[in-house]
Amino acid sequence: MNNSYHENIKLKNIEKLRELQGNLPAFCTVFFRGIADKVGTRTLIGYAYDLQIFFNYIIQYTFPEKDYILKKIPLTILDEVTKFDIENYMEYLSLYSSEDGTIHTNDERGKARKLSALKGLYNYFYEAELIQTNPASIVHAPKFHEKEIIKLDPNEVAELLDIVEYGSEQESKHQEAYHKVTKKRDLAMLSLLLGTGIRVSECVGLDIKDVDFDNNAIRIIRKGGNEAKVYFGDEVEDVMREYIDKRKRIIPLNGHENALFLSIQNRRISVRAVENLVKKYASQVTTLKKITPHKLRSTYGTELYKESGDIYLVASVLGHKDVNTTKKHYANIDEDNKRRAAKIVKLRKE
Protein backbone atom coordinates (compact mmCIF):
# COMPACT_ATOMS: atom_id res chain seq x y z
CA MET A 1 0.00 0.00 0.00
CA ASN A 2 1.54 3.31 -1.13
CA ASN A 3 0.28 5.66 1.60
CA SER A 4 1.27 9.30 1.85
CA TYR A 5 3.78 10.47 4.43
CA HIS A 6 1.05 11.78 6.72
CA GLU A 7 -1.02 8.59 6.39
CA ASN A 8 2.02 6.50 7.34
CA ILE A 9 2.70 8.71 10.36
CA LYS A 10 -0.92 8.35 11.46
CA LEU A 11 -0.75 4.54 11.16
CA LYS A 12 2.47 4.42 13.20
CA ASN A 13 0.85 6.64 15.83
CA ILE A 14 -2.17 4.32 16.01
CA GLU A 15 0.15 1.35 16.57
CA LYS A 16 2.01 3.25 19.29
CA LEU A 17 -1.24 4.29 20.97
CA ARG A 18 -2.46 0.69 21.05
CA GLU A 19 0.82 -0.35 22.65
CA LEU A 20 0.50 2.33 25.33
CA GLN A 21 -3.16 1.49 25.98
CA GLY A 22 -2.10 -2.04 26.86
CA ASN A 23 -0.32 -0.62 29.93
CA LEU A 24 -3.24 1.54 31.10
CA PRO A 25 -6.53 0.80 32.90
CA ALA A 26 -9.11 -0.64 30.50
CA PHE A 27 -11.43 2.38 30.81
CA CYS A 28 -8.75 4.58 29.23
CA THR A 29 -9.35 2.80 25.91
CA VAL A 30 -13.00 3.90 26.11
CA PHE A 31 -11.81 7.48 26.70
CA PHE A 32 -9.39 7.44 23.74
CA ARG A 33 -12.04 6.00 21.45
CA GLY A 34 -14.54 8.61 22.59
CA ILE A 35 -12.31 11.61 21.79
CA ALA A 36 -10.53 10.18 18.72
CA ASP A 37 -12.57 12.32 16.32
CA LYS A 38 -11.74 15.53 18.21
CA VAL A 39 -7.96 15.31 18.64
CA GLY A 40 -5.04 13.99 16.62
CA THR A 41 -3.18 10.75 17.22
CA ARG A 42 -0.10 12.59 18.50
CA THR A 43 -2.22 14.26 21.17
CA LEU A 44 -3.69 10.89 22.16
CA ILE A 45 -0.19 9.45 22.53
CA GLY A 46 0.76 12.39 24.76
CA TYR A 47 -2.36 11.79 26.87
CA ALA A 48 -1.44 8.11 27.20
CA TYR A 49 2.03 8.90 28.51
CA ASP A 50 0.67 11.52 30.92
CA LEU A 51 -2.12 9.30 32.27
CA GLN A 52 0.34 6.49 32.88
CA ILE A 53 2.35 8.84 35.12
CA PHE A 54 -0.83 9.85 36.98
CA PHE A 55 -2.07 6.31 37.64
CA ASN A 56 1.39 5.14 38.71
CA TYR A 57 1.41 8.06 41.15
CA ILE A 58 -1.95 7.32 42.77
CA ILE A 59 -1.10 3.61 43.09
CA GLN A 60 2.13 4.44 44.87
CA TYR A 61 1.21 7.52 46.90
CA THR A 62 -2.57 8.02 47.11
CA PHE A 63 -3.84 4.45 47.59
CA PRO A 64 -0.76 2.36 48.46
CA GLU A 65 -2.79 0.16 50.81
CA LYS A 66 -5.05 -1.12 47.99
CA ASP A 67 -2.27 -2.90 46.05
CA TYR A 68 -3.73 -1.83 42.72
CA ILE A 69 -2.30 -3.23 39.48
CA LEU A 70 -2.13 -0.48 36.86
CA LYS A 71 -3.98 -2.34 34.10
CA LYS A 72 -6.76 -3.45 36.48
CA ILE A 73 -7.56 -0.13 38.16
CA PRO A 74 -11.38 0.28 38.18
CA LEU A 75 -13.15 3.35 36.87
CA THR A 76 -14.54 3.96 40.37
CA ILE A 77 -11.10 5.14 41.47
CA LEU A 78 -11.76 8.46 39.73
CA ASP A 79 -14.49 9.20 42.30
CA GLU A 80 -12.11 8.40 45.15
CA VAL A 81 -9.49 10.93 44.02
CA THR A 82 -9.91 14.40 45.54
CA LYS A 83 -8.91 17.90 44.47
CA PHE A 84 -6.11 17.77 47.05
CA ASP A 85 -4.83 14.47 45.65
CA ILE A 86 -4.52 16.07 42.21
CA GLU A 87 -2.80 19.15 43.65
CA ASN A 88 -0.32 16.86 45.43
CA TYR A 89 0.24 15.10 42.10
CA MET A 90 0.98 18.43 40.43
CA GLU A 91 3.63 19.12 43.08
CA TYR A 92 5.05 15.61 42.56
CA LEU A 93 5.56 16.41 38.87
CA SER A 94 8.14 19.05 39.79
CA LEU A 95 10.67 16.29 40.48
CA TYR A 96 10.19 12.53 40.39
CA SER A 97 11.98 9.37 39.30
CA SER A 98 10.60 6.60 37.08
CA GLU A 99 10.97 2.88 37.75
CA ASP A 100 14.31 2.73 35.92
CA GLY A 101 15.71 5.48 38.16
CA THR A 102 15.52 8.25 35.56
CA ILE A 103 14.94 11.68 37.13
CA HIS A 104 12.15 13.77 35.57
CA THR A 105 11.23 17.42 36.05
CA ASN A 106 8.36 19.55 34.74
CA ASP A 107 8.05 23.30 34.44
CA GLU A 108 4.66 25.02 34.46
CA ARG A 109 4.04 24.11 30.82
CA GLY A 110 4.77 20.44 31.40
CA LYS A 111 2.46 20.41 34.41
CA ALA A 112 -0.29 22.19 32.46
CA ARG A 113 -0.11 19.59 29.67
CA LYS A 114 -0.43 16.73 32.16
CA LEU A 115 -3.32 18.44 33.95
CA SER A 116 -5.03 18.93 30.58
CA ALA A 117 -4.89 15.17 29.94
CA LEU A 118 -6.40 14.52 33.35
CA LYS A 119 -9.13 17.11 32.87
CA GLY A 120 -9.99 15.53 29.53
CA LEU A 121 -10.32 12.10 31.13
CA TYR A 122 -12.52 13.37 33.98
CA ASN A 123 -14.70 15.52 31.71
CA TYR A 124 -15.35 12.61 29.37
CA PHE A 125 -16.55 10.20 32.05
CA TYR A 126 -18.38 12.89 34.07
CA GLU A 127 -20.36 14.05 31.02
CA ALA A 128 -21.13 10.39 30.24
CA GLU A 129 -22.49 10.13 33.83
CA LEU A 130 -20.17 7.22 34.59
CA ILE A 131 -18.56 9.02 37.55
CA GLN A 132 -20.14 11.26 40.17
CA THR A 133 -17.38 13.82 40.77
CA ASN A 134 -15.01 15.92 38.69
CA PRO A 135 -12.23 17.19 40.99
CA ALA A 136 -9.89 17.89 38.05
CA SER A 137 -12.22 20.66 36.87
CA ILE A 138 -11.53 22.75 39.99
CA VAL A 139 -7.75 22.39 39.95
CA HIS A 140 -6.16 25.48 38.43
CA ALA A 141 -3.44 25.17 35.82
CA PRO A 142 -0.05 26.64 36.78
CA LYS A 143 0.52 30.27 35.86
CA PHE A 144 2.89 30.58 32.94
CA HIS A 145 5.92 32.85 33.04
CA GLU A 146 6.11 34.53 29.67
CA LYS A 147 9.24 33.73 27.72
CA GLU A 148 10.93 36.00 25.25
CA ILE A 149 10.46 34.92 21.65
CA ILE A 150 13.69 33.39 20.40
CA LYS A 151 14.16 34.26 16.75
CA LEU A 152 16.76 35.30 14.24
CA ASP A 153 17.27 39.00 13.50
CA PRO A 154 17.09 40.05 9.82
CA ASN A 155 20.89 40.28 9.52
CA GLU A 156 21.20 36.79 11.06
CA VAL A 157 18.70 35.39 8.54
CA ALA A 158 20.78 36.82 5.69
CA GLU A 159 24.00 35.44 7.18
CA LEU A 160 22.42 32.02 7.72
CA LEU A 161 21.28 31.76 4.11
CA ASP A 162 24.68 32.94 2.89
CA ILE A 163 26.38 30.14 4.83
CA VAL A 164 23.92 27.61 3.43
CA GLU A 165 24.51 28.83 -0.13
CA TYR A 166 28.25 29.52 -0.13
CA GLY A 167 29.58 27.42 2.75
CA SER A 168 31.86 28.42 5.59
CA GLU A 169 35.59 29.13 5.69
CA GLN A 170 35.86 26.73 8.63
CA GLU A 171 34.73 23.73 6.58
CA SER A 172 37.08 20.77 6.21
CA LYS A 173 37.58 19.19 2.79
CA HIS A 174 35.12 16.46 3.70
CA GLN A 175 32.53 18.97 4.93
CA GLU A 176 33.03 21.05 1.79
CA ALA A 177 32.39 18.02 -0.43
CA TYR A 178 29.27 17.09 1.56
CA HIS A 179 28.03 20.69 1.39
CA LYS A 180 28.28 20.73 -2.41
CA VAL A 181 25.95 17.73 -2.54
CA THR A 182 23.34 19.09 -0.13
CA LYS A 183 23.45 22.88 -0.45
CA LYS A 184 20.64 23.25 -3.02
CA ARG A 185 18.36 21.08 -0.92
CA ASP A 186 19.34 22.84 2.31
CA LEU A 187 18.93 26.31 0.81
CA ALA A 188 15.50 25.44 -0.59
CA MET A 189 14.38 23.89 2.68
CA LEU A 190 15.57 26.67 4.99
CA SER A 191 14.30 29.37 2.62
CA LEU A 192 10.91 27.66 2.61
CA LEU A 193 10.81 27.43 6.42
CA LEU A 194 11.90 31.06 6.82
CA GLY A 195 9.72 32.32 3.96
CA THR A 196 6.44 30.63 4.88
CA GLY A 197 6.56 29.76 8.61
CA ILE A 198 5.45 26.17 8.00
CA ARG A 199 6.13 23.54 10.65
CA VAL A 200 9.02 21.12 10.18
CA SER A 201 6.55 18.20 10.00
CA GLU A 202 4.68 20.01 7.22
CA CYS A 203 7.94 20.59 5.40
CA VAL A 204 9.21 17.00 5.46
CA GLY A 205 5.75 15.75 4.45
CA LEU A 206 5.79 17.69 1.16
CA ASP A 207 5.63 15.76 -2.10
CA ILE A 208 6.89 17.10 -5.44
CA LYS A 209 3.30 17.48 -6.68
CA ASP A 210 2.52 19.74 -3.72
CA VAL A 211 4.56 22.60 -5.23
CA ASP A 212 2.62 24.90 -7.55
CA PHE A 213 4.85 27.40 -9.34
CA ASP A 214 1.92 28.85 -11.28
CA ASN A 215 0.66 30.35 -8.03
CA ASN A 216 3.90 30.20 -5.99
CA ALA A 217 2.17 28.00 -3.44
CA ILE A 218 2.58 24.72 -1.63
CA ARG A 219 -0.12 22.33 -0.43
CA ILE A 220 0.51 21.17 3.12
CA ILE A 221 -1.25 18.99 5.67
CA ARG A 222 -1.68 20.89 8.93
CA LYS A 223 -1.75 19.45 12.44
CA GLY A 224 -5.03 17.59 12.76
CA GLY A 225 -5.00 16.55 9.09
CA ASN A 226 -6.49 19.67 7.50
CA GLU A 227 -5.21 20.61 4.06
CA ALA A 228 -3.98 24.18 3.46
CA LYS A 229 -2.39 26.24 0.71
CA VAL A 230 0.59 28.43 1.70
CA TYR A 231 2.15 31.01 -0.61
CA PHE A 232 5.83 31.86 -1.01
CA GLY A 233 7.72 34.81 -2.50
CA ASP A 234 10.14 35.22 -5.40
CA GLU A 235 13.26 34.49 -3.32
CA VAL A 236 11.85 31.15 -2.24
CA GLU A 237 10.67 30.42 -5.79
CA ASP A 238 14.18 30.83 -7.21
CA VAL A 239 15.86 28.37 -4.85
CA MET A 240 12.94 25.93 -4.99
CA ARG A 241 13.14 25.79 -8.80
CA GLU A 242 16.87 25.11 -8.66
CA TYR A 243 16.44 22.35 -6.12
CA ILE A 244 13.52 20.68 -7.92
CA ASP A 245 15.53 20.64 -11.17
CA LYS A 246 18.18 18.69 -9.27
CA ARG A 247 15.64 16.58 -7.37
CA LYS A 248 14.10 15.29 -10.61
CA ARG A 249 17.47 13.79 -11.57
CA ILE A 250 17.76 11.83 -8.30
CA ILE A 251 16.53 8.24 -8.15
CA PRO A 252 14.92 7.78 -4.73
CA LEU A 253 14.55 4.52 -2.84
CA ASN A 254 11.34 2.53 -3.25
CA GLY A 255 8.52 4.11 -1.29
CA HIS A 256 10.10 7.56 -1.40
CA GLU A 257 9.47 8.42 -5.05
CA ASN A 258 7.06 11.28 -4.28
CA ALA A 259 9.04 12.96 -1.50
CA LEU A 260 10.19 16.51 -2.24
CA PHE A 261 13.10 16.68 0.17
CA LEU A 262 15.41 13.65 0.25
CA SER A 263 18.15 12.65 2.64
CA ILE A 264 21.65 11.79 1.45
CA GLN A 265 20.45 8.16 1.36
CA ASN A 266 17.67 9.21 -1.07
CA ARG A 267 14.88 8.63 1.46
CA ARG A 268 12.31 11.21 2.53
CA ILE A 269 14.21 13.44 4.93
CA SER A 270 13.22 13.08 8.59
CA VAL A 271 12.20 15.71 11.13
CA ARG A 272 15.31 14.87 13.17
CA ALA A 273 17.57 15.41 10.15
CA VAL A 274 16.07 18.86 9.51
CA GLU A 275 16.48 19.75 13.19
CA ASN A 276 20.14 18.75 12.99
CA LEU A 277 20.90 20.74 9.85
CA VAL A 278 19.17 23.85 11.25
CA LYS A 279 21.27 23.49 14.39
CA LYS A 280 24.44 23.03 12.31
CA TYR A 281 23.95 26.17 10.21
CA ALA A 282 22.50 28.36 12.98
CA SER A 283 25.40 27.61 15.35
CA GLN A 284 27.67 29.33 12.84
CA VAL A 285 25.53 32.47 13.01
CA THR A 286 24.79 32.75 16.73
CA THR A 287 25.95 30.90 19.83
CA LEU A 288 23.64 32.82 22.17
CA LYS A 289 20.36 31.55 20.71
CA LYS A 290 19.23 27.95 20.49
CA ILE A 291 17.76 27.94 17.00
CA THR A 292 15.42 25.11 15.97
CA PRO A 293 13.02 24.79 13.02
CA HIS A 294 10.29 26.12 15.31
CA LYS A 295 12.40 29.23 15.96
CA LEU A 296 12.54 29.77 12.19
CA ARG A 297 8.74 29.68 12.30
CA SER A 298 8.84 32.28 15.11
CA THR A 299 11.20 34.40 13.01
CA TYR A 300 8.73 34.40 10.13
CA GLY A 301 5.73 35.09 12.38
CA THR A 302 7.50 37.99 14.08
CA GLU A 303 8.53 39.66 10.83
CA LEU A 304 5.09 39.16 9.28
CA TYR A 305 3.43 40.79 12.29
CA LYS A 306 5.91 43.69 12.29
CA GLU A 307 5.31 44.35 8.61
CA SER A 308 1.53 43.84 8.54
CA GLY A 309 0.40 44.62 12.10
CA ASP A 310 -2.42 42.13 11.39
CA ILE A 311 -2.55 39.41 14.08
CA TYR A 312 -5.39 37.65 12.25
CA LEU A 313 -3.27 37.38 9.09
CA VAL A 314 -0.41 35.91 11.11
CA ALA A 315 -2.76 33.40 12.76
CA SER A 316 -4.18 32.38 9.37
CA VAL A 317 -0.79 31.95 7.66
CA LEU A 318 0.71 30.04 10.60
CA GLY A 319 -2.32 27.77 10.83
CA HIS A 320 -3.34 28.70 14.38
CA LYS A 321 -6.96 27.66 15.00
CA ASP A 322 -7.31 30.22 17.81
CA VAL A 323 -6.02 33.75 17.30
CA ASN A 324 -5.39 33.95 21.06
CA THR A 325 -2.59 31.44 20.55
CA THR A 326 -0.99 33.87 18.11
CA LYS A 327 -1.53 36.83 20.45
CA LYS A 328 0.22 35.03 23.30
CA HIS A 329 3.28 34.51 21.13
CA TYR A 330 3.53 37.80 19.31
CA ALA A 331 1.70 40.43 21.39
CA ASN A 332 4.91 41.45 23.15
CA ILE A 333 6.13 42.85 19.86
CA ASP A 334 3.69 45.70 20.54
CA GLU A 335 6.01 46.85 23.35
CA ASP A 336 8.21 48.61 20.77
CA ASN A 337 5.19 50.56 19.55
CA LYS A 338 4.20 51.41 23.12
CA ARG A 339 7.66 52.82 23.81
CA ARG A 340 7.43 54.98 20.69
CA ALA A 341 3.98 56.17 21.78
CA ALA A 342 5.43 57.45 25.05
CA LYS A 343 7.58 59.92 23.12
CA ILE A 344 4.86 61.20 20.81
CA VAL A 345 2.76 63.20 23.28
CA LYS A 346 4.52 66.34 24.57
CA LEU A 347 3.37 67.82 27.87
CA ARG A 348 5.05 71.17 27.26
CA LYS A 349 5.70 72.69 23.89
CA GLU A 350 9.32 73.55 23.31
Side-chain angles (χ1 to χ4, degrees):
M1 186 184 299
N2 189 19
N3 293 321
S4 71
Y5 167 80
H6 296 283
E7 289 169 336
N8 284 329
I9 291 294
K10 185 176 181 179
L11 292 175
K12 288 179 181 178
N13 286 344
I14 290 172
E15 288 180 1
K16 183 63 178 177
L17 180 61
R18 287 176 179 172
E19 176 190 333
L20 293 170
Q21 285 177 167
N23 296 318
L24 288 169
F27 60 82
C28 287
T29 300
V30 178
F31 166 59
F32 290 133
R33 191 181 300 125
I35 65 170
D37 292 337
K38 300 176 183 178
V39 299
T41 51
R42 287 179 62 187
T43 300
L44 293 177
I45 288 173
Y47 279 5
Y49 279 118
D50 292 340
L51 291 175
Q52 187 171 8
I53 296 169
F54 172 71
F55 287 118
N56 277 326
Y57 168 81
I58 63 173
I59 286 174
Q60 186 174 357
Y61 297 103
T62 309
F63 306 112
E65 74 284 354
K66 295 193 177 184
D67 294 325
Y68 279 127
I69 297 173
L70 180 59
K71 293 167 63 174
K72 296 183 179 180
I73 293 176
L75 179 60
T76 53
I77 200 173
L78 296 183
D79 275 322
E80 298 179 51
V81 174
T82 68
K83 171 179 182 285
F84 303 107
D85 293 329
I86 296 175
E87 288 174 343
N88 287 336
Y89 165 65
M90 297 300 289
E91 174 56 31
Y92 164 81
L93 290 172
S94 299
L95 177 66
Y96 68 96
S97 59
S98 49
E99 292 181 359
D100 62 3
T102 304
I103 302 297
H104 301 272
T105 61
N106 283 276
D107 61 10
E108 61 268 24
R109 283 173 171 76
K111 291 180 181 180
R113 285 193 299 269
K114 289 173 173 58
L115 181 59
S116 177
L118 198 55
K119 284 178 179 283
L121 181 77
Y122 265 96
N123 288 340
Y124 177 79
F125 286 112
Y126 186 74
E127 289 173 4
E129 299 183 348
L130 294 174
I131 58 175
Q132 305 302 312
T133 60
N134 188 355
S137 66
I138 53 176
V139 175
H140 297 296
K143 184 178 180 180
F144 285 4
H145 295 91
E146 293 300 325
K147 294 182 177 179
E148 181 184 1
I149 297 175
I150 298 175
K151 62 180 182 60
L152 292 171
D153 296 328
N155 62 305
E156 292 173 328
V157 170
E159 186 179 350
L160 175 70
L161 294 177
D162 282 347
I163 290 172
V164 177
E165 186 168 11
Y166 303 113
S168 168
E169 294 178 356
Q170 285 76 41
E171 286 180 339
S172 66
K173 291 293 183 183
H174 174 74
Q175 290 171 327
E176 186 178 342
Y178 183 84
H179 180 252
K180 284 182 179 179
V181 175
T182 64
K183 71 175 183 178
K184 286 188 177 181
R185 179 204 67 187
D186 295 352
L187 185 60
M189 195 183 310
L190 267 67
S191 297
L192 191 62
L193 290 168
L194 283 163
T196 62
I198 60 174
R199 298 176 177 90
V200 62
S201 59
E202 296 163 352
C203 180
V204 302
L206 285 168
D207 289 337
I208 296 175
K209 62 180 175 59
D210 292 328
V211 182
D212 172 15
F213 285 118
D214 290 336
N215 296 290
N216 271 12
I218 51 173
R219 184 187 72 93
I220 61 172
I221 305 298
R222 292 288 194 194
K223 280 183 8 180
N226 295 324
E227 184 177 308
K229 182 180 284 188
V230 176
Y231 297 91
F232 53 82
D234 294 341
E235 292 175 284
V236 176
E237 178 191 2
D238 292 342
V239 294
M240 286 286 286
R241 284 188 182 277
E242 282 195 35
Y243 168 67
I244 288 179
D245 285 343
K246 178 180 179 179
R247 165 65 184 84
K248 288 177 179 177
R249 297 192 296 272
I250 299 173
I251 301 175
L253 294 181
N254 288 339
H256 301 266
E257 295 87 354
N258 298 325
L260 175 60
F261 293 114
L262 297 174
S263 69
I264 200 73
Q265 295 83 21
N266 293 339
R267 302 173 180 271
R268 183 185 295 275
I269 199 165
S270 67
V271 169
R272 177 62 59 85
V274 178
E275 289 171 343
N276 288 338
L277 74 87
V278 168
K279 179 180 178 181
K280 177 186 75 173
Y281 287 120
S283 65
Q284 300 177 62
V285 175
T286 173
T287 57
L288 299 178
K289 303 174 185 176
K290 184 181 178 182
I291 300 299
T292 63
H294 192 75
K295 299 302 184 290
L296 302 187
R297 179 171 160 84
S298 297
T299 299
Y300 173 81
T302 301
E303 291 306 309
L304 179 59
Y305 185 49
K306 281 184 176 179
E307 292 297 321
S308 68
D310 187 342
I311 199 71
Y312 292 95
L313 173 64
V314 178
S316 175
V317 173
L318 293 181
H320 291 163
K321 292 182 179 179
D322 185 353
V323 73
N324 289 318
T325 302
T326 320
K327 286 179 179 177
K328 281 191 286 187
H329 284 87
Y330 299 103
N332 65 339
I333 299 171
D334 285 335
E335 291 302 312
D336 291 339
N337 293 330
K338 290 178 183 176
R339 290 190 186 96
R340 285 196 292 270
K343 299 178 181 179
I344 293 174
V345 177
K346 301 296 183 183
L347 301 182
R348 296 185 181 185
K349 301 296 182 182
E350 294 181 3

